[in-house]
Amino acid sequence: MLSAFAPSEPKDAEELQETLDELEFQLYRMQDNLKEIAKKYEVIGVDQPEENELVIVSAQNDGNECKIMINNCHKAYKGVWDFAIHGVYEDDHTIHIGDIKGPANKGYGSICMNYLKEVALDQNIHTIKGDIAKRDWDHVNRLVHFYEKHDFHVEIDYDNQCGEIEWTP
């Protein structure tokens, strides 16, 4: 969902013009990127993770796997996404998150998670779950915060450096 493009602080005329120019550039880029992304994936939304930034949200879903991807509109789409959450259908009622890839602290994870939940609800999926593995341990606190922010139940075994997450609507 796009929020208003209202600045957080008053801007002078030059700053407003720069913002307008940047948004206009992103809109033109979005038109081109949408055409290319739609050739390969289902475009499921346009969102705004940060002020004055637009992203295209797409999905690849074959009934066995579900990937929610983001491409920002600052650059041309070259066949590679900027962020993705990859899930696997464990059964008719569960998606298991296998991996989250992309830069941290840009809002992309929250956007993808919200769309993954929407996909799950549309398909009558009752559970999204996943694991926190030892390879995640250098950023486990950030992961716990992220999942709790998105209403996941999080269990961490600090001794064995692992954990589980689960969301039910």
Side-chain angles (χ1 to χ4, degrees):
M1 176 187 318
L2 292 176
S3 62
F5 284 103
S8 54
E9 297 178 14
K11 294 184 179 185
D12 63 27
E14 186 177 319
E15 289 174 313
L16 287 173
Q17 186 60 51
E18 287 176 15
T19 299
L20 180 61
D21 291 346
E22 172 62 26
L23 289 171
E24 184 177 32
F25 171 80
Q26 286 187 69
L27 286 172
Y28 286 121
R29 179 72 71 197
M30 183 190 305
Q31 287 176 318
D32 292 337
N33 288 354
L34 278 169
K35 290 176 193 174
E36 294 305 311
I37 292 169
K39 290 177 183 177
K40 189 171 181 182
Y41 304 112
E42 176 187 3
V43 174
I44 57 175
V46 172
D47 219 305
Q48 181 185 5
E50 298 176 354
E51 184 176 308
N52 303 329
E53 181 182 12
L54 299 172
V55 296
I56 298 167
V57 185
S58 58
Q60 182 179 25
N61 191 344
D62 65 5
N64 295 314
E65 298 179 327
C66 178
K67 187 186 292 185
I68 307 295
M69 301 159 287
I70 284 186
N71 291 90
N72 74 46
C73 296
H74 287 287
K75 62 184 191 248
Y77 174 70
K78 300 287 187 190
V80 180
W81 40 261
D82 296 305
F83 192 95
I85 290 181
H86 182 250
V88 175
Y89 292 93
E90 283 192 348
D91 55 43
D92 291 341
H93 304 289
T94 307
I95 296 175
H96 185 273
I97 296 173
D99 209 356
I100 298 177
K101 292 184 179 180
N105 300 319
K106 294 186 67 63
Y108 295 170
S110 290
I111 290 171
C112 284
M113 186 60 73
N114 290 334
Y115 278 93
L116 181 63
K117 288 178 178 180
E118 191 175 301
V119 166
L121 292 173
D122 287 349
Q123 296 178 2
N124 203 26
I125 302 286
H126 303 290
T127 305
I128 299 174
K129 64 182 189 175
D131 302 309
I132 295 177
K134 193 170 190 168
R135 71 175 180 270
D136 300 319
W137 215 249
D138 64 335
H139 57 278
V140 70
N141 291 335
R142 191 178 78 227
L143 287 173
V144 169
H145 172 76
F146 173 77
Y147 286 120
E148 287 179 345
K149 178 173 77 171
H150 289 283
D151 300 319
F152 278 76
H153 174 73
V154 179
E155 288 187 23
I156 299 293
D157 179 344
Y158 288 95
D159 293 333
N160 294 310
Q161 295 185 335
C162 61
E164 295 180 354
I165 56 138
E166 185 171 311
W167 174 84
T168 53

